[in-house]
Amino acid sequence: MTSLQKKEDRTPSQPFGWLRSHDPVSQLKAEMDDLFSSYIPALPAFGRANGGQAFTLPTDLDVSETDDAIELVLDLPGIDRKDIDISLTDTGVMIKGKREEKKEEKGKNFHRMERAYGTFERHVPLPCEVDAAKVNATLKKGVLSITLPKSETARQPAKKIAIKSD
């Protein structure tokens, strides 16, 4: 640390603290980081929560629908197929998984550990009945795709109801 740079002016995202005072967005970010760090001693940027507990992994999800099926697409980088569990429930699809933590290697000094490890669980409610026997899931390059074909009754067009007058 130089005499021009105070300790409180340094943040991991803004190494030159003196620039922060001229940028209101950076200053607001730094103030928010300071506020949260006073309540949360270990932030996700270090890959671990208090007491060495892993964080719940974020899972980005897209849900789309066609006339014949519902498709779920999740980004699950670094998660093996064997560590993912998919089940169809009465109310939707339950997707669970985990990414195992790799233990620190001896002889390495880590300057930053940002990759998250731990478990995730997502329940996705379905807008209609699906054919459980024809559900298909694939994992390619860290992207999980689940295709849920609609049941025969769900594929039929909505029935028009006539309104009677008095």
Side-chain angles (χ1 to χ4, degrees):
M1 179 168 59
T2 67
S3 60
L4 295 175
Q5 188 178 11
K6 295 183 209 167
K7 181 180 178 185
E8 60 268 14
D9 286 341
R10 293 182 302 145
T11 64
S13 62
Q14 185 83 28
F16 301 104
W18 55 271
L19 287 175
R20 181 173 68 182
S21 63
H22 300 290
D23 179 12
V25 174
S26 295
Q27 188 173 5
L28 177 61
K29 179 191 178 301
E31 289 172 9
M32 294 299 289
D33 288 345
D34 292 343
L35 175 68
F36 283 108
S37 67
S38 65
Y39 290 103
I40 306 170
L43 294 174
F46 297 102
R48 303 206 125 187
N50 279 338
Q53 297 296 319
F55 280 93
T56 300
L57 293 174
T59 53
D60 295 329
L61 168 72
D62 292 338
V63 180
S64 60
E65 181 177 1
T66 65
D67 291 339
D68 298 324
I70 297 166
E71 185 172 353
L72 310 178
V73 179
L74 285 88
D75 289 338
L76 302 175
I79 299 178
D80 291 331
R81 183 180 57 175
K82 66 178 176 46
D83 294 327
I84 301 170
D85 179 54
I86 305 167
S87 56
L88 193 57
T89 68
D90 291 340
T91 58
V93 178
M94 178 65 75
I95 306 160
K96 299 177 185 179
K98 65 181 176 180
R99 183 180 327 163
E100 295 290 330
E101 179 178 6
K102 296 188 174 148
K103 300 296 179 191
E104 290 185 19
E105 297 177 31
K106 293 185 183 204
K108 281 189 177 181
N109 293 319
F110 286 87
H111 294 277
R112 180 173 279 218
M113 292 181 67
E114 294 184 0
R115 296 183 302 151
Y117 300 96
T119 62
F120 70 91
E121 185 174 302
R122 292 292 302 260
H123 180 267
V124 182
L126 298 175
C128 64
E129 185 179 309
V130 297
D131 187 346
K134 296 181 180 177
V135 174
N136 181 32
T138 59
L139 181 67
K140 291 181 184 173
K141 296 183 179 182
V143 177
L144 176 66
S145 298
I146 306 170
T147 303
L148 302 127
K150 292 181 180 179
S151 69
E152 204 54 47
T153 55
R155 283 190 229 173
Q156 295 177 2
K159 181 181 177 185
K160 277 284 209 196
I161 300 173
I163 302 172
K164 298 177 186 174
S165 60
D166 291 337

